[in-house]
Every structure is written in C-alpha cells, then in structure tokens.
C-alpha cells in the first residue's frame, strides 16, 4: 500500500440499515464495521442480498443509515442524522455501466469537472484525453458513443470518468460481473494498471472470491442478511499482481482460509432466497 | 386514437408533503380528487360568469339535473346507448375474428406476408372515418356501413399487432417443443398461440379505444341513432345540455368497454400478473 | 441488392397488382350492385393524373393542393401544439410526484372521452369551426405525447441519475443532461403515435365541421356524386399520414445518432 | 431443503420410490449410451446484406458415453451453433454428426438441450412444463406423467413449486426445473449451453456442485458448454477447447480430479496444475482482446 496518500480513509462504525421500518422491517445491515486506510484497495465479498449494495449506497450518499456512522477522513458521510448527498469525493462505477449513452466518450469523461465548474471546457478536454490515453489508449475512442464500444472499454471509460473528479474513494459495484473468463482477466489487468497510475482508496464489491483475492490488499467477507463483516483477510501478495500469482501456493493458501466461510454464507443466502419464494 | 398505455406512477423523486403521506396511508390520490373538484368548480364558475365563450354551454349542475329530470328515464336515451354498443361490439368482434387468424397467417407464412403485408401497410394510414362515404355507397343499410367503419378501425390494429407478435416468438420455445416430440398442431396450440396472447391483448386494447372513437364520428356523419347522433343533434338543436350528456355518456361507454376488454385479457393471461 | 431483397420487391409488386386487379374486377364484372356503385381503380387513376379532371381535383389542379395544404397546416398546428405542451407535461409528471397526482387525475377524467365526441362542444365553445377541428386533433395528439413522455421518463435507468449526482450535477443539470435525452427515444415513439392519431381525428373533424381540407373534400365529393375524388382524397390522406410519420422517424434518427451508433456495436 | 447433504444416499432412496410408479426411472444409472461423434463439421449463416458468415470450420470431437465433456471457448466462437447442430435444430453445411452411430437428422428427446436463457414456457406452470414431453409424445398417461414430474420436482428440491409460474421462481430454481423437464424424457445425452451464465458467482458454484452430483449419480452423458475456466475444470472429465471464430477444436485436456467433486477439489494441487495448463491454451487460442 502506498502511504503517500493521506486522503480517503474510510471508517465504517456499526453501520445499520432497516428498510421500511414500519412495515416488513427488513434488516439489511447490522453492526457492520471496518477501518479502511487511505489508498487501500479493499474488496467486499458476499452473497446476493447480503447488504453489500446497501453499504455502497450509504457511502455514496444515495441512501440514509438507520444506525451507526460512516466517516471519510474524519468527516461524517452517513449517519441517521445526516442528509445523504452524493458528491465527487466518492464516485460509483455501476454494475450494468452508467456511461450516458447519448454523450460521446469525451463528453462523458469531462461531465464531472465541467458541471462542478472545477475545470474549463478546454482544460477538462485536455486532461480527459491525457487520462484516456494513459488508461490503455482510449483517447482514440473520444468521439465515439458508448454503444459503439465493447463492454470492457465502456467499463474503463467509466472508471476514467470517475477518476477525472479526483475522488477520495472509488466505489466499484460488481463491474465485471457479466464478462467471460478471458475478458474478465484482461479487465483485472487494466484495473490494476489504472490503480497504480492513479492511487485511490478503492472499494470493490463482488460475488467472486477469486477476483477479490487477486485484486485487493484486504478482503472483507460479509455474512448473508443482515450484512455484517464476517472475516477480514490481509492479502499479502506482492504488487504489481501477475497472472501466475493466480496459480501460486500463497494464493491457494489465502483461498483455503476463506472459501469455506464464503460457501457457507452462499448456501444460507440461497436457501433463505428459496424459503422466501415458497 | 391509438395512444400508449399509461406508465406506472412510481416517480423519480417523491416530494414528502402532507398529501403524499396521506395518499400512502389511505391509498387514495387526494391531490387527484382535489384536481377533479377544481375542474368541475372552474367549469361552473366559467359558465356562471359567461366567460370565454362559455355562454352557450351549460354548467355541470345544470347538465346533471337535466339528465336526471328528463333523460335518465327516457327510453330513446338508452336506445342510443344500445345502438352505439351494438355497432361497437359487432365491428370490434368481427375485426378480432378475421384479424387474429390473418395476423397469425401473415406472421407464420413468409410468402403470404411478403405478398399481402405491403398492401395492408398502404391502407393502414387511411383514417377509418375517410371510409364512410365508400362504406355508405357499398353497404345496403346505414347500420351495416357504420359497422364496417368500426370494423376497419379495429381490424388493421389487431392484424399488425398479431403479425408482429408471431414474429417475436422465442426460437428456443419452438425448438424445445420439437425436441420433446410435439407435433406441429400441438406446437401451434400450446406454444405459438399463448406466446402471441400479449400481442393480441395490445391490439385489442388499442382497438376498442379506436372503435369507440370511430363509431361516434360515423354516427355524427351518417347515423340516425346512437350516442354520437344524440350529441350531434344536441348541437344542431341548440339544446347544449344534450351535448354534455352525450359526451359524458360516450366517455362512460368507452371506459366501460376498455375495462371489459382489459378484464377479459387479464383472465386470458394469468401468468402475466 | 441481395437476392433476398429482390424477391421481396417482386412479391410486393405482385401484391399491389393483385389488389389492383381484384378491385377492378369486382367493380367491373362482379354482378353485385354494391360493388358496381364503387369507383374502379382505372377511373380513379385517370382522374387523379388528368390535366383536366372531370371533377376538378387532380395533381394538376390548384384546388387539390388547397385542400392538402389546409389539412397539413391543421395537422401540424395541432401536432406542434401537442408536442409543445405534451412533452413538458410528461416530463413534469415524471419528475415531480405532486404534479403527477394532479395531472394524472385530469387526464384520467378526460381521456376516455373519444376526441371526436368533443366536436360539437368545441364548435360551441371555440370562436371558429377551424379552431374546433384543430382543437380536436390537438387533444388526441396531446394525450399520446404526454403519456409516452411519462413512460420515457419512468424508464430511465436510476443509475444514470445517481452517476450524474455523483459527478456533481444539480437538479437542473439532471433534467437537461439525463431526463430529456434519456426519455427521447420513447418521446419519439409517442410523437409517431400522436401524428397518426392527429390525421385520424383531423379527417373526421374536417368531414363534420370544416369548409375545406381533405376530410371536407371526401364528404363534398360524396354529396356531389364525384366518387373517384373520394378515393383520391382518401389515398392522399393515407400518403400524408405515412410521410409525416416517416418524417418524425427521420428527425428522431438524426437527433438520436447515438442510438443508430449503437447498431454498429462491435463485440 | 435445496439439496440433500448426503448426496448419493438421498438421491437413491427417491429413485427407488419413483421406480414402482414409473417403468424406468430416468435417474437410475444406465447402460453406456449417448456416444456423440462430430466429424469435420462446417456451418455458415446467410446474412441479410453481406456475404455468409462462417461460424464453424472443420470441427471434429467426440463426447464419450457416461462422461461429462466440457466444450470451452471464448464468446462468439460458435459453441452454441454446435449445440444446436447436435440437438438437430440446424443442419451442417459439411461434415457429419452421429449419436450411437446413428446420423442426427432432426430434434428428438434422446438429446435434450438446456438453453442459455431459460426456455420454460411462461404460460405453463412448472409441473405442466415438466409433463409436456411425455404427454406430447403420448408415452405416458396424464396421471403417470404427473407422478413422474412430481417425483422429479421433489428430487430437485422444488416441492410445492409445481403450480407456480416460471416467473415466480429464482434463477437457480428455474434451472433445476429445466433439468427435471429434460430428465423426465430419459434422454441419452444432456447438452447444456452456458446454463449458469446469468447467475451470480455464488449461486453458480452451488449449481455446478448440484449438476456434478446429479451426473455422478446418473452417469448421464453430458456436453457442458461454458466460457468460464473454473466451471469447466470443476465439472469436466474432459475439456475440449475451441479457438475464436470460425470455431474449430484446438485441443483436448483430460481432467483427472477425483470424483465426487466438491468445493474442496477447487483448492487441490492437481487443480492448480490443470488450471495453469488450461490458462496457457486459453491465452494462446482464446486471445480475444477486450479493446
């Protein structure tokens, strides 16, 4: 972890969320805590419906917490009392992609800084082209529409659009879920390169334990609903991560430690899912 | 006349406010009720103060009393209901009986489609009402000519909807049935027909709305009875309460038939709850 | 042109030819008075393209274009009014729930009344028959535009709104950058339906209450027993309806280049 | 309730219970049947406004009876086309496809295909979906078909869901209903075309475990198509690799991981070696860059 960064420390303290308290009172998050250091690449692994997205929504400012608190560099982001307000400090890259289809790649990427009037149009365009070029020669696609790009390229442009706002925290919500093995491993390579170029605190949400172990410095395994941090695992693989690490013994050892716990949560979530449908 | 079905009412951002909490609790759209009351009051006031050309128009109260006093019990009023309904039902049902099979044929038989579809496509934009003169010329009685117009109104819509529906059947659904050894007849009955039902329901929902629109105009132009005629005669004879009564009755009749059609279609497609 | 396309073209031509001959034979030879009364296609075509048409309406006569222009002006006046009022109303309904509750009730109240039932009242209320016809045409186009715009706003993926808010967009930015472009495809679907419906109502309105226009021409030709002119006016209405819908589709494709761009998706 | 933990014993007891009612339980282990041979198969698809696209070129491979063969390759390399050819939905432009020596000319219940997207008919209840096959062919009376269907639904942990419509079931449950719908016809071969593609990784792993146990119990010849390497290694007795379009077979790889396969086998040394070997092939042939 590079500690040159002193921004982007995320402190989650007994975060709790209950949907529709008066009615079905679904407890999505309960006593969920984690201390994330500045610049740390954290992966959160958990079955569907375990509250991963609820936590992400609270951090991003889309939803309010019913108990506990989340602070960014000591400033309260989310708590029962604070009005949730999204902002460029913590930008989300969405699961199904949220590039604006009606804007070109360049218009998408400069949208943030120009809307916040942080940069003039020309300055924003220059910065955008530079960043796109460094993140895998995407600048050549500047004038194309998202619909004309492959899903891999769309995902990377969306990451660049987020980074253009100099966010303190980058929130990735299962970004590579629908990709097949080969394109997924290519995207892992790109993400790690971009993270090395632009070190930020990263919160990576996924179902895929192998992906979490390969990408992250720290992996949190969440229990099925109500979501709580079940286990925390420091991934001491060296950086930069390479493909052959996927078949190394340290990696295998790390996987052995958590795979049983993750599988157990998956089983519980699956059976609860079916009971609810019965 | 063919407008889209309204989207659901979940909105982008809910302003808290008293009414929405009240609405959530009681499930009644209070603001809507307020709007309707305001509309009726506005109408009454405009008439009272003879503003904006409302001089020749009766207020809601006056129309209502006129309705209860004379028309509710008058046989001829209910006869116009019956006449209009008879024409709508005849034209609409005939359009479905001929339109659905033709739509299925056009959807499944490549050669027939490439032959007939362009002709249908050319006739579709011609407004149904424009057929009135030819229809009067062609059919021996006025009744038949109006029924023909209502038929044309619903026919094109159902044929084209069913045709599109048949062509969007999932290939896997057909292949799976073949793997399981089902014959062509069974495939048609248990796979093709059910999967076309949603398209049929869209065609019928739009069709019934068009049919009511068309019957009113046809009656105004060529009919000698029916709600359209009643409204037109109210206008010609300057008894404007009848114009209002006619319009509201047509509104109810249209609403009732649409509700009937959507109830029927809901019964036909229980799995689409 | 691939063999597939040429075969399709041949069949289309054959289809038109068969329809044409069927029409001609049934009018000319079928021993049925009902058919005999109808004008046959050859007479209609002759009349339509005659430099001196028997009843004064052909592509060479000014009167023909006077009616066309009258109808087209009315249709587009009503259509543009419907778009100018309907699109903002639809967006507002999708954007604020208070406005939605009020508007939805009023629309629910007025929509079941078939537009043409308004004609008598419109004539009474409005200064001229002309305005009444345009009003009736406007009404049906307005409902189609508003409801489709509302559906378009509702169908926007909430992630787009959230992404924009992350990037610092305020409410006005959201409306201009996300809501309007996002709802545009469905708005254009609504515009096409509105245009079709506008021509439907216009024709009927003109037949009942106008002094000129294609609808009027149809009834006038009927009363003056100029039957071929009825067919000419009907087909012209059909062509105008088709052309205006095609025009809207073209406008839509130009405005939403990003959608056609999506077609060239290379995976 | 989803799956009896003691896999083998639980299944056997249900099988025997179903046996009395139905002549041959579709689940009892069977004589080695369903030997598929694909020889020099090529396939082109006519396109509306351009030259026909070549999807398969000279494809040859075998699916041995009683074994689970996985067909692995990048998306868009013609794997599904091969599945449709074997199922008899499409005819090859060149080459031959046979099952137990007989040429494949049309679709039939001996080769059941589970599609990528669920093909359960939304307008039929789950039990009607399952009963459709035997009733369509007239092999069983309505009562017999219902009993066989109920037995299978019970086996697949879908008790009580028979009268539900497919839209009321979760992804994993729909897949199991489709397995029941296929197995009631006692097919010789099961062909699964990326069946777990839409599911999240965890549900997917559970479904993989589920199918491999079903296979171990029935020895039903299976051709499993996927783009996921972990899924391929976990399930396969043998993996057949396909290169990018136009698809052809580039390599076969024996997977000698012991049966019964469990989550544990994914962390064994042998698994790592096989994965390293397979990754090399994938990168070399499957090099589909995402740009």
């Amino acid at each position: 972890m590079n500690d040159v960064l002193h921004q982007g420390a995320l402190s989650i303290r007994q975060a709790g969320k209950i949907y529709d308290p008066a009615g079905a009172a679904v407890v999505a998050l309960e006593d969920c805590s984690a201390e994330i250091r500045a610049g740390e690449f954290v992966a959160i692994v958990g079955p569907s419906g375990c509250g991963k997205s609820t936590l992400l929504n609270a951090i991003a400012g889309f939803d309010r917490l019913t108990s506990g608190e989340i602070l960014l560099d000591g400033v309260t982001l989310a708590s029962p009392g604070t009005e949730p307000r999204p902002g460029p400090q913590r930008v989300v890259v969405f699961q199904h992609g949220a590039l604006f289809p009606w804007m070109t790649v360049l218009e998408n990427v400069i949208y943030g800084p120009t809307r916040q009037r942080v940069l003039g149009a020309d300055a924003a365009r220059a910065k955008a082209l530079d960043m796109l070029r460094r993140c895998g020669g995407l600048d050549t696609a500047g004038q194309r529409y998202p619909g004309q790009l492959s899903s891999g390229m769309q995902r990377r442009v969306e990451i660049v659009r987020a980074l253009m706002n100099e966010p303190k925290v980058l929130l990735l919500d299962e970004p590579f879920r629908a990709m097949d093995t080969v394109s997924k491993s290519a995207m892992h390579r790109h993400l790690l390169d971009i993270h090395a170029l632009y070190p930020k605190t990263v919160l990576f949400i996924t179902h895929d334990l192998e992906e979490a172990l390969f990408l992250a410095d720290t992996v949190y395994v969440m229990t099925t609903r109500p979501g709580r941090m079940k286990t925390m695992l420091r991934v001491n693989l060296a950086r930069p991560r390479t493909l052959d690490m996927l078949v190394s013994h340290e990696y295998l050892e790390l996987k052995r430690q958590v795979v049983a716990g993750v599988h157990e949560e998956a089983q519980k979530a699956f059976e609860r899912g079916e009971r609810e449908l019965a | 006349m063919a407008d889209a079905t309204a989207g659901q009412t979940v909105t982008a951002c809910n302003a808290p406010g008293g009414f929405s909490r009240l609405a959530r609790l009681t499930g009644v759209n209070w603001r809507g009720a307020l709007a309707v009351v305001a509309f009726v009051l506005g109408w009454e006031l405009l008439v009272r103060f003879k503003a904006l050309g409302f001089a020749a128009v009766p207020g809601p109260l006056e129309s209502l009393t006129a309705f209860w006093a004379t028309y509710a019990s008058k046989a001829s009023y209910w006869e116009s209901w019956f006449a209009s309904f008879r024409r709508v039902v005849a034209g609409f049902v005939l359009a479905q009986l001929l339109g659905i099979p033709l739509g299925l044929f056009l959807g499944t038989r490549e050669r027939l489609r490439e032959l007939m579809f362009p002709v249908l496509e050319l006739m579709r934009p011609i407004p149904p009402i424009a057929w009135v003169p030819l229809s009067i010329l062609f059919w021996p009685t006025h009744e038949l000519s109006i029924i023909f117009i209502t038929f044309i109104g619903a026919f094109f819509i159902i044929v084209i909807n069913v045709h599109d529906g048949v062509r969007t059947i999932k290939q896997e659904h057909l292949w799976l049935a073949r793997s399981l050894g089902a014959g062509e007849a069974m495939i048609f009955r248990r796979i093709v027909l059910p999967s076309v039902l949603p398209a049929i329901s869209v065609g019928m929902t739009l069709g019934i709305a068009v049919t009511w629109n068309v019957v009113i105009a046809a009656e105004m132009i060529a009919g000698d009875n029916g709600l359209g005629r009643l409204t037109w005669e109210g206008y010609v004879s300057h008894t404007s309460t009848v114009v209002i009564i006619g319009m509201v009755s047509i509104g109810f009749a249209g609403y009732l038939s649409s509700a009937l059609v959507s109830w029927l279609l809901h019964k036909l497609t229980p799995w689409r709850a | 042109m691939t063999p597939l396309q040429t075969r399709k073209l041949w069949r289309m031509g054959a289809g038109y030819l068969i329809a044409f001959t069927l029409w001609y034979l049934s009018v000319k030879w079928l021993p049925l008075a009902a058919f005999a009364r109808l004008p046959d296609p050859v007479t209609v075509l002759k009349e339509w393209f005659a430099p001196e048409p028997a009843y004064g309406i052909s592509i060479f006569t000014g009167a023909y274009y006077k009616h066309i222009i009258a109808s087209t002006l009315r249709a587009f006046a009503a259509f543009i009014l419907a778009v100018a009022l309907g699109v903002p109303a639809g967006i507002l309904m999708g954007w604020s729930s208070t406005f939605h509750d009020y508007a939805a009730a009023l629309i629910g109240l007025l929509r079941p009344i078939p537009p043409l039932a308004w004609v008598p009242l419109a004539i009474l209320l409005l200064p001229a028959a002309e305005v009444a016809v345009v009003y009736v045409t406007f009404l049906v186009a307005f409902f189609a535009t508003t409801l489709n715009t509302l559906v378009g706003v509702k169908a926007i993926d909430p992630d787009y709104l959230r992404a924009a808010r992350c990037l610092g967009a305020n409410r006005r930015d959201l409306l201009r950058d996300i809501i309007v472009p996002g709802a545009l495809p469905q708005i254009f679907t609504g515009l096409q339906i509105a245009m079709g419906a506008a021509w439907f109502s216009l024709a009927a309105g003109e037949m009942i209450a106008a002094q000129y226009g294609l609808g009027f021409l149809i009834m006038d030709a009927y009363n003056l027993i100029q039957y071929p002119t009825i067919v000419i006016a009907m087909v012209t209405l059909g062509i105008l309806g088709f052309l205006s819908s095609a025009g809207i589709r073209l406008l839509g494709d130009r405005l939403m280049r990003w959608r056609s761009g999506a077609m060239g998706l290379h995976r | 309730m989803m799956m009896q933990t003691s896999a083998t014993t639980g299944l056997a007891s249900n099988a025997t219970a179903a046996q009395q009612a139905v002549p041959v339980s579709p689940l009892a282990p069977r004589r080695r049947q369903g030997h598929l041979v694909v020889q020099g198969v090529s396939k082109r698809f006519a396109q509306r406004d351009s030259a026909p696209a070549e999807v398969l070129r000279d494809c040859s491979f075998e699916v041995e009876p009683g074994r689970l063969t996985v067909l692995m390759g990048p998306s868009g390399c013609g794997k599904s086309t091969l599945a449709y050819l074997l199922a008899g939905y499409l005819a090859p432009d060149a080459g031959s496809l046979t099952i137990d020596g007989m040429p494949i000319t049309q679709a039939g219940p001996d080769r059941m295909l589970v599609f990528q997207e669920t093909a359960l008919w939304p307008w039929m209840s789950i039990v009607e979906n399952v009963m459709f096959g035997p009733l369509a062919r007239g092999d069983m009376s309505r009562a017999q078909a219902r009993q066989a269907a109920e037995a299978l639904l019970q086996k697949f942990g879908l008790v009580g869901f028979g009268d539900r419509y497919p839209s009321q079931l979760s992804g994993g449950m729909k897949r199991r209903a489709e397995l029941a719908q296929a197995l009631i016809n006692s097919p010789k071969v099961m062909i699964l075309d990326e069946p777990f593609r839409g599911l999240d990784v965890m549900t997917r792993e559970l479904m993989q475990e589920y199918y491999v146990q079903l296979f171990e119990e029935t020895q039903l010849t299976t051709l499993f198509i996927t783009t996921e390497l972990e899924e391929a290694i976990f399930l396969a007795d043998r993996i057949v690799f396909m290169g990018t379009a136009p698809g052809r077979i580039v390599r076969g790889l024996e997977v000698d991981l012991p049966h019964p396969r469990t989550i544990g086998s994914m962390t064994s040394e042998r698994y790592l070696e096989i994965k390293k070997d397979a990754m090399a092939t994938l990168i070399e042939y499957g090099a589909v860059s995402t740009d």
Side-chain angles (χ1 to χ4, degrees):
Chain A
M1 236 138 28
N2 29 41
D3 18 25
V4 68
L5 264 172
H6 29 70
Q7 268 191 333
L10 203 59
S11 160
I12 305 170
R13 300 179 184 161
Q14 291 85 30
K17 175 73 186 177
I18 299 171
Y19 285 107
D20 185 13
V26 172
V27 182
L29 272 185
E30 192 184 47
D31 181 22
C32 180
S33 302
E35 292 301 323
I36 297 168
R37 293 188 295 276
E40 194 177 7
F41 193 123
V42 167
I44 299 184
V45 181
S48 51
C50 74
K52 308 196 291 293
S53 305
T54 309
L55 183 61
L56 183 122
N57 285 345
I59 297 171
F62 301 144
D63 208 349
R64 189 191 290 266
L65 281 183
T66 33
S67 61
E69 199 181 8
I70 299 177
L71 297 98
L72 177 58
D73 295 335
V75 172
T76 305
L77 261 187
S79 75
T82 41
E83 185 61 33
R85 225 170 63 74
Q89 283 184 347
R90 58 271 195 250
V91 185
V92 176
V93 173
F94 291 84
Q95 181 178 354
H96 303 296
L99 286 180
F100 310 132
W102 47 83
M103 291 184 195
T104 63
V105 164
L106 205 55
E107 284 160 354
N108 260 289
V109 174
I110 62 171
Y111 186 77
T114 43
R115 270 310 154 283
Q116 299 147 41
R117 287 158 190 77
V118 165
L119 285 173
D122 300 340
R125 212 169 291 115
K127 182 178 176 185
L129 285 173
D130 172 56
M131 229 183 209
L132 284 167
R133 187 175 45 72
R134 293 210 279 163
C135 296
L138 292 167
D139 51 331
T140 53
Q143 294 314 325
R144 301 225 308 262
Y145 286 101
Q148 299 169 303
L149 307 178
S150 70
S151 56
M153 278 173 79
Q154 284 180 31
R155 209 38 42 83
R156 281 187 285 148
V157 169
E158 194 170 347
I159 293 172
V160 170
R161 179 176 76 175
L163 291 174
M164 274 286 284
N165 301 280
E166 310 297 347
K168 290 187 177 175
V169 181
L170 190 59
L171 301 163
L172 297 154
D173 186 1
E174 291 182 61
F176 315 135
R177 174 172 172 161
M179 294 185 177
D180 61 64
T181 315
V182 177
S183 12
K184 195 182 246 188
S185 67
M187 279 313 295
H188 290 160
R189 167 93 349 273
H190 286 300
L191 179 60
L192 290 172
D193 293 348
I194 292 173
H195 181 60
L197 268 170
Y198 302 96
K200 292 274 186 272
T201 310
V202 172
L203 214 62
F204 188 92
I205 308 271
T206 181
H207 279 91
D208 185 343
L209 176 61
E210 298 220 347
E211 180 175 55
L213 291 170
F214 180 67
L215 295 172
D217 302 323
T218 317
V219 173
Y220 285 89
V221 176
M222 272 182 91
T223 59
T224 181
R225 202 170 28 179
R228 188 178 313 102
M229 295 305 181
K230 173 173 181 170
T231 46
M232 192 263 282
L233 180 72
R234 293 274 183 235
V235 180
N236 37 36
L237 295 170
R239 290 245 183 219
R241 299 280 167 84
T242 54
L243 270 182
D244 51 84
M245 286 182 181
L246 272 173
V247 283
S248 66
H249 289 290
E250 301 85 4
Y251 182 84
L252 194 62
E253 190 37 42
L254 288 168
K255 194 171 158 188
R256 276 210 189 97
Q257 286 176 36
V258 269
V259 76
V262 167
H263 188 59
E264 183 200 335
E265 292 306 321
Q267 185 94 40
K268 264 195 273 171
F270 194 81
E271 269 155 20
R272 171 196 287 108
E274 303 216 334
R275 265 202 311 281
E276 266 155 19
L277 279 172
Chain B
M1 267 69 74
D3 40 37
T5 46
Q8 331 82 330
T9 54
V10 171
T11 54
C13 52
N14 278 326
F19 272 117
S20 57
R21 250 202 319 284
L22 201 60
R24 253 203 317 284
L25 298 177
T26 56
V28 166
N29 175 359
W30 289 100
R31 286 204 196 92
L34 189 69
V36 169
V37 166
F39 175 82
V40 172
L41 265 179
W43 176 7
E44 186 64 35
L45 291 175
L46 282 171
V47 169
R48 279 280 160 69
F49 297 105
K50 306 271 184 293
L52 298 170
F54 270 77
V57 172
L61 238 57
E62 189 190 339
S63 314
L64 202 59
T65 43
F67 175 70
W68 282 120
T70 50
Y71 292 93
S73 52
K74 228 161 88 172
S76 66
Y77 169 71
W78 295 108
E79 264 158 34
S80 4
W81 266 78
F82 181 67
S84 294
F85 255 105
R86 201 177 54 236
R87 290 170 185 145
V88 165
V89 169
F92 180 75
V93 167
L94 206 61
Q96 308 315 310
L97 290 179
L98 290 176
I100 292 174
L102 180 59
L104 286 170
F105 266 113
L106 287 181
T108 42
R109 303 242 178 339
E110 181 83 14
R111 232 162 4 87
L112 188 65
R113 172 176 59 252
E114 284 176 1
L115 209 62
M116 257 186 91
F117 205 71
V119 177
L120 286 177
E121 205 60 35
L122 199 63
M123 294 168 72
R124 178 162 67 130
I126 299 175
I129 298 296
W131 289 91
V132 164
L134 288 191
S135 173
I136 297 169
L137 268 178
F138 183 80
W139 295 99
T141 67
H142 268 283
E143 195 59 29
L144 280 176
S145 62
I146 294 180
I147 289 173
F148 174 74
I149 303 291
T150 50
F151 165 82
I152 287 277
F155 177 72
F156 286 116
I157 291 175
I158 191 67
V159 168
I160 286 165
N161 266 288
V162 168
H163 163 269
D164 296 345
V166 169
R167 303 191 70 201
T168 52
I169 293 178
K170 266 175 87 169
Q171 186 64 45
E172 288 86 352
H173 283 165
L174 297 171
W175 278 346
L176 181 59
R178 287 213 182 86
S179 281
L180 293 168
E184 284 312 310
M186 179 177 258
I187 287 180
F188 186 80
R189 194 163 43 82
R190 299 214 47 202
I191 311 293
V192 174
L193 267 185
S195 56
V196 166
L197 270 177
I200 290 177
S201 60
V202 167
M204 286 172 85
T205 315
L206 296 177
I208 191 70
V210 169
T211 313
W212 263 105
N213 221 333
V214 163
V215 81
I216 298 306
E219 283 170 357
M220 282 185 190
I221 296 169
D224 36 28
N225 57 16
L227 289 171
R229 191 75 226 159
L230 174 79
T231 314
W232 185 252
E233 257 147 33
Y235 161 68
V236 169
S237 63
H238 299 299
T239 47
S240 49
T241 48
V242 170
V243 172
I244 302 292
I245 291 168
M247 277 179 66
V248 173
S249 316
I250 297 166
F252 266 114
Y255 181 76
L256 278 176
S257 352
S258 294
L260 190 68
V261 164
S262 59
W263 174 79
L264 177 75
L265 294 172
H266 196 63
K267 279 278 161 291
L268 276 172
T269 54
W271 70 91
R272 286 181 71 225
Chain C
M1 274 239 279
T2 62
L4 200 70
Q5 279 165 329
T6 38
R7 189 194 68 191
K8 229 175 182 184
L9 223 60
W10 271 108
R11 289 227 178 111
M12 182 192 281
Y16 290 138
L17 199 63
I18 292 169
F20 190 88
T21 34
L22 269 179
W23 177 8
Y24 183 82
L25 292 178
S26 54
V27 170
K28 280 294 177 200
W29 284 342
L30 219 58
L32 278 171
F35 281 101
R37 287 195 293 268
L38 295 179
D40 69 276
V42 172
T43 329
V44 170
L45 281 177
K46 279 215 203 91
E47 178 72 7
W48 199 359
F49 294 99
E52 279 89 22
Y55 308 116
I57 296 293
S58 80
I59 54 170
F60 297 98
T61 60
Y64 181 52
Y65 295 102
K66 188 160 66 71
H67 291 301
I68 290 179
I69 291 163
S71 293
T72 312
L73 282 181
R74 286 190 190 119
F76 275 87
F79 177 72
I80 287 159
L81 201 62
V83 172
L85 295 176
V87 171
I91 288 176
L92 255 174
M93 280 172 79
W95 182 245
S96 118
S97 70
T98 30
F99 181 83
H100 179 276
D101 291 348
Y102 290 120
L106 286 180
I107 289 183
L109 186 71
L110 299 176
R111 204 167 137 231
I113 302 174
L116 296 173
W118 284 92
V119 169
L121 184 66
I123 298 172
L124 286 174
L125 261 176
L126 299 169
E130 182 64 28
V131 181
V133 170
V134 171
Y135 167 74
V136 168
T137 314
F138 153 78
L139 203 63
V140 71
F142 171 74
F143 286 133
T145 311
T146 310
L147 291 173
N148 272 283
T149 306
L150 175 62
V151 166
V153 170
K154 282 282 157 320
I156 292 175
D157 183 343
D159 280 354
Y160 291 143
L161 291 166
R162 285 179 169 166
R165 285 168 69 202
C166 274
L167 299 171
N170 57 36
R171 280 174 72 87
R172 210 167 36 75
D173 296 330
L174 288 183
L175 202 58
R176 188 189 61 239
D177 301 331
I178 312 296
I179 297 287
V180 171
L184 215 53
Q186 187 64 32
I187 289 177
F188 266 87
T189 313
L191 296 191
Q192 281 195 303
I193 296 171
M195 193 47 137
W199 282 102
F200 273 33
S201 312
L202 178 72
E206 284 178 344
M207 286 168 81
I208 296 169
Q211 296 316 316
Y212 38 83
L214 291 167
F216 162 80
L217 177 61
I218 289 176
M219 282 316 284
D220 194 42
Y222 169 69
N223 296 332
L224 300 173
I225 320 190
Q226 304 167 340
Y227 299 151
T229 312
I230 297 176
V231 178
I232 293 172
M234 283 169 71
V235 173
T236 314
L237 266 173
I239 294 169
L240 289 173
F242 177 77
L243 288 180
S244 29
S245 289
I248 292 169
R249 231 190 335 271
L250 275 177
L251 182 65
D253 293 345
R254 232 183 56 71
L255 268 179
M256 298 184 282
R257 275 190 314 285
W258 53 274
R259 275 169 67 91
S260 50
M263 300 314 151
L265 188 72
H266 44 85
R267 169 81 50 225
Chain D
M1 186 261 288
M2 197 269 292
M3 191 173 60
Q4 292 85 344
T5 38
S6 59
T8 36
T9 48
L11 300 182
S13 62
N14 295 344
T16 40
Q19 210 131 17
Q20 284 75 21
V22 169
V24 168
S25 151
L27 301 180
R30 327 153 44 78
R31 231 182 345 86
R32 298 287 177 208
Q33 275 190 318
H35 180 214
L36 293 174
V37 176
V38 174
Q39 196 57 42
V41 161
S42 299
K43 181 70 184 172
R44 278 183 302 282
F45 279 121
Q47 282 190 284
R48 237 157 55 81
D49 35 29
S50 64
E54 193 177 18
V55 178
L56 294 173
R57 182 191 294 154
D58 185 20
C59 258
S60 304
F61 70 99
E62 280 185 43
V63 175
E64 292 107 351
R67 275 169 62 98
L68 201 157
T69 305
V70 170
L71 186 61
M72 166 101 199
S75 50
C77 71
K79 301 192 298 295
S80 297
T81 309
L82 261 179
Y84 299 154
L85 287 165
L86 284 167
Y89 302 139
L90 300 175
D93 294 328
S96 71
L97 302 106
T98 60
I99 174 167
D100 294 337
M102 302 284 293
I104 293 174
T105 52
Q106 55 177 341
D110 55 341
R111 288 151 285 123
M112 284 309 300
L113 176 59
V114 174
F115 296 94
Q116 229 175 80
E117 281 153 28
T118 179
L120 291 170
W121 297 296
W123 51 85
M124 292 186 207
S125 69
I126 295 298
V127 76
E128 269 172 48
N129 262 285
V130 176
M131 285 160 54
F132 185 87
L135 292 179
R137 294 190 309 278
D139 292 359
M140 296 181 193
S141 71
R142 192 159 184 81
Q144 266 180 331
R146 174 163 277 278
Q147 197 166 12
E150 298 289 357
L152 274 169
L153 289 179
Q154 205 262 331
K155 151 129 190 35
F156 285 117
L158 293 170
V159 176
F161 290 95
D163 301 328
R164 290 288 180 80
Y165 285 108
S167 54
Q168 296 166 310
L169 265 59
S170 72
M173 293 163 81
K174 276 190 245 186
R175 293 278 95 165
R176 296 205 314 274
E178 284 180 284
L179 291 177
Q181 181 185 48
L183 283 173
I184 197 170
N185 308 288
S186 313
K188 289 184 192 163
V189 178
M190 278 293 286
I191 305 171
L192 299 110
D193 183 8
E194 294 184 63
F196 309 142
R197 186 184 177 110
L199 305 177
D200 63 81
V201 174
M202 293 192 178
T203 320
R204 194 183 190 125
E205 279 161 4
L206 293 170
M207 287 306 295
Q208 287 162 5
E209 245 183 311
Y210 194 89
Y211 190 81
V212 85
Q213 278 167 1
L214 178 68
F215 168 74
E216 283 154 357
E217 185 230 322
T218 61
Q219 298 300 317
L220 178 56
T221 312
T222 300
L223 175 64
F224 193 98
I225 295 172
T226 183
T227 53
E228 294 304 311
L229 184 56
E230 284 78 17
E231 186 170 74
I233 300 172
F234 178 68
L235 293 170
D237 293 327
R238 185 164 158 276
I239 302 178
V240 173
F241 288 94
M242 272 181 86
T244 48
R248 63 204 177 324
I249 306 302
V250 289
R251 192 194 156 198
L253 172 65
E254 281 297 321
V255 176
D256 50 14
L257 291 176
H259 278 285
R261 298 274 173 85
T262 63
I263 280 289
S265 19
M266 301 271 273
T267 51
S268 66
E269 290 301 329
R270 183 67 188 116
Y271 173 86
L272 275 189
E273 281 153 26
I274 297 173
K275 185 169 180 183
K276 212 181 282 186
D277 187 348
M279 283 290 272
T281 309
L282 260 186
I283 299 301
E284 189 191 342
Y285 289 100
V288 170
S289 73
T290 58
D291 314 69

